Amino acid sequence: MCGIIGYAGNRDIKKLLVESLKRLEYRGYDSVGIGIISDKLNVFKEVGDVSNFERKLPKLKGNIGIGHTRWATHGEVSKLNAHPQISCNNKIAVVHNGIVENFKELKEKLKGHKFESQTDTEVIAHLIEENYKGSLLEAVCLAIKKIKGSYSIVVISEDEPDKIVGARNESPLIIGLGDGENFLASDIPAFLKYTKRVVYLNDEEICLLKNDSIKIYDLNGNEKLKEETIINWDIKDAEKSGFPHYMLKEIHDQQDTIQRALIGRIFEIEREIKFEEIIESLLTNRYNNIHIIACGTSYYSGFVGKYLIENLTGIPVYVDLASEYRFYGIRDNSSLVIAISQSGETSDTLAALKEAKKSGCNTLVITNVIGSSATRIADGFILTQSGPEIGVAATKTFTSQIIVLFLLALKISFNLKNIGTQQLYEFILQLKELPRKARAALDQSATIREISKDFFKERSFLFIGRGINYPLALEGALKLKEISYIQAEGFAAGELKHGPFALLTKNFPVVVIVTKDISYDKILANIGEAKARGAKIIAIADQNDTDIEKYADIVIRYPSVSNMLACIPISIILQLLAYHIADLRNCSIDKPRNLAKSVTVE
Ligand code: F6R
């Protein structure tokens, strides 16, 4: 989705805005623009990428500026529709994420205003102009009271050349605090190079930034004092570290991020799993059932979590797509609702979470972003601690979400006395082994690249698995389709004969996830059935499985781990397979077409 940066300070403003916009590129965009106040307001916009835009920019000076990467929602991709959008008098510039639902109505009321773009954002600029009586802050405040919908906006005005005003409602906006400079952005990586001190704006809050001060108000003009948070992300986490793509770097980060998901939660000597107090208290309740709500890859980690939690606790777990749950989900206030969202900002997930809370359910969120909207809605949150994920395709956050779900399952199981201290201890030992297992899976990268060379020109793939491997098959297919644009579908292996068989032709690639569990014989039978119909089988199998060679055409090995934790190295192998196939096809891996990292609109 769109990215926003605002800056008040003495650095080279053009360089700073362009660099920050480059760091927001991962969110997905189609056009770009900046607005800088020098002696007057200067606005520059282009369709296309930031580097191309940068080449066309003249020398620029100023101490106040805003920038935006646009992902079109209202109006085609064009220079006119790019942000900043400006007022009639060319003095006020606005960048905006989100949607103004009542923009047509507002436009009709703005008599005498000439609109140049098709965007909803332009209405905000005109509305601020209409309300301007000498104070930008007041004008923005009056304007946003009239707006319906979700937004984060950042505004500058030629008449107040030392100020930036920002406001949010259901779309993230974060203040970065510097020394003699301040930032405002939709996402932390935009200013992470300069500061780790942040203040999160809440819905219906408005802020006034100067280079040496920040003030935050509610919509009635009352000043609010807010605490700052220190982000423990490193700028190196937001860079490629020599890898050709963020995605590959983030896949390789997993040896470390798995460790980080465990830190401060597993205690070998005490034989304990611990969460923060609020989470501990949520987990002591006896729940009739657990609902997991999420979208995309986070939904699939939730689906893996269903197998883990049901297996260890016996509590039924329902996994719902957040976009469905928010309208159709059964809200049972005796259930625990777990929302999973890497960004903590996905619009449907937030809406579903709010619905669950409204119905009196206890709510908990698993996210990677401290201070994100989801953390402020739920009763408690658990951070995945993976560092920023820049590649649009989720990788390291997926495995960390699974680890957190596994820890939750163990904790609930222990509280219910389903497992005792000794069993818990054995699981802790297995968890401690996981970073090493992840390394062993990563070591398969060169082999997977070679295998990919035989398949990268294929037009379709099937992914199948049973039990916990079924959601992994779904995720493997999603990963491949989103970055390589190859049609890929995931199925529970038992379903093949109920339809998907019709797709199989000679050499049709079928990726089969094989673990030596209770359905091992059945999955071998499924392989046989698919082969009999001409399919080419790529099996992902345990390194100690000596039988699989007899069934599959190609075998990719994962290091032996207990069945419940094999999902971690298997996920890494699926990610590598998708990555290498997409890379051989020269795809835009970190920014797949039509996709955005943080889906903050519905
Ligand atoms: C796929 C992917 C998306 C996200 C989905 C939810 O690789 O990244 O499917 O998983 O958009 O995003 P979050 O987890 O931020 O709620």
Side-chain angles (χ1 to χ4, degrees), residues 295-299 340-346 349 389 392-395 401 475 478-479 482 596-599:
C295 302
T297 289
S298 296
Y299 171 74
I340 308 176
S341 173
Q342 173 277 128
S343 61
E345 300 293 350
T346 299
T349 308
E389 189 174 67
V392 162
T395 50
Q401 287 167 353
E475 168 61 8
L478 175 65
K479 219 76 307 168
E482 70 178 322
K597 182 68 184 163
S598 187
V599 186

Side-chain angles (χ1 to χ4, degrees), residues 24-60:
L24 291 171
E25 282 186 304
Y26 72 95
R27 293 172 67 94
Y29 69 106
D30 43 54
S31 50
V32 57
I34 58 172
I36 293 176
I37 304 211
S38 45
D39 46 340
K40 63 179 187 56
L41 172 66
N42 297 291
V43 169
F44 302 89
K45 310 197 274 193
E46 272 311 323
V47 168
D49 68 20
V50 182
S51 301
N52 179 43
F53 172 67
E54 183 183 10
R55 281 191 287 275
K56 295 186 179 167
L57 284 177
K59 280 199 177 133
L60 290 166

